[in-house]
Amino acid sequence: MTGQPLDLLGPDDRSTLRERCGALLDQDETQLGAALIGSLPTHEARSENVLRQWSAIATEFGAELARPGEHPDIDELAAAFGLRVVHSGGGVTPSRLTLAQYASRPPTVRIFDDTMLLAQSLVELLDWQAWFPAGRIRDAAVCHEVVHRLLSGAPGDVLKKRLGHVAFRLGPVVFRGHVLGADEVAAHSYARVRCRLPKSPLLLTAALAEASDFLDFGRAPLVHSGKGV
């Protein structure tokens, strides 16, 4: 694949990027999810045990959501949930990388083709094609956004209850708080199961975050997905 920012990397940077991404292979899906959650605001002081517990719950929940029903075509799956899939550019900017975006008005999944090409280029650089075959990254991104659609309804309340994060108590009344990032972990797990991927898309998004250090997209965190209204 030509014309991608990764083509600009020199041999030393390519070697270092491969090494850093290779180190990610030592982490299982729960660890990758815990790292994602822990990198987000409000979680800086959370213990590793708490982060791993939340990640494990969200991972299991996402896998459960993926089991019922059969929609072998991913676009048909999106349509079954009232979502139209559209494609555009603009996912690679100086400040962030965006793979896909869910909008509720109108219900849409937007796939950013430039970021998809960048992701596929990275897969080829790392020799990860067996885990993320051509076309499956796009399918996983659609599935990921389907989960954001689902979690805006009753499943979101179920996930919050399972996570059990208590924001505060008022006498006998318990107010459960939102765990920022848990929806992302659940969405990645759903995409892995639904697309039958050998590795979680969490691995690829973590690798893209590593690549963003070398490519200098403003050195901002990778945006795994965007959500609009």
Side-chain angles (χ1 to χ4, degrees), residues 11-192:
D12 290 344
D13 281 345
R14 284 171 174 262
S15 178
T16 303
L17 178 56
R18 287 192 184 100
E19 181 179 349
R20 285 171 58 170
C21 291
L24 296 171
L25 299 176
D26 294 332
Q27 301 181 45
D28 61 22
E29 189 170 11
T30 298
Q31 288 173 301
L32 290 168
L36 186 155
I37 295 172
S39 69
L40 299 174
T42 76
H43 297 320
E44 297 89 349
R46 306 290 184 193
S47 72
E48 184 64 25
N49 285 341
V50 168
L51 295 174
R52 284 180 63 86
Q53 181 181 23
W54 283 343
S55 177
I57 291 170
T59 298
E60 181 180 12
F61 187 77
E64 288 177 8
L65 284 178
R67 290 180 187 136
E70 287 295 330
H71 293 283
D73 182 88
I74 299 303
D75 286 270
E76 289 180 5
L77 169 68
F81 289 102
L83 293 166
R84 185 169 67 98
V85 180
V86 299
H87 288 252
S88 73
V92 179
T93 74
S95 61
R96 67 179 186 174
L97 303 177
T98 308
L99 289 165
Q101 183 178 59
Y102 161 64
S104 60
R105 293 197 296 259
T108 306
V109 171
R110 183 172 300 278
I111 300 296
F112 293 96
D113 290 331
D114 50 350
T115 318
M116 288 292 152
L117 288 172
L118 176 62
Q120 191 61 50
S121 178
L122 180 59
V123 165
E124 294 170 6
L125 175 67
L126 300 174
D127 293 324
W128 287 1
Q129 295 95 323
W131 300 331
F132 304 104
R136 301 304 277 172
I137 300 173
R138 183 262 189 196
D139 287 349
V142 173
C143 288
H144 186 110
E145 301 309 321
V146 164
V147 174
H148 287 305
R149 169 79 162 175
L150 289 171
L151 293 181
S152 65
D157 294 331
V158 175
L159 176 58
K160 181 184 289 188
K161 184 175 181 179
R162 284 200 195 179
L163 289 166
H165 174 45
V166 176
F168 64 95
R169 298 176 185 271
L170 186 60
V173 181
V174 173
F175 293 87
R176 300 192 183 277
H178 173 67
V179 177
L180 188 64
D183 57 341
E184 288 292 317
V185 175
H188 283 302
S189 178
Y190 178 97
R192 175 184 57 79

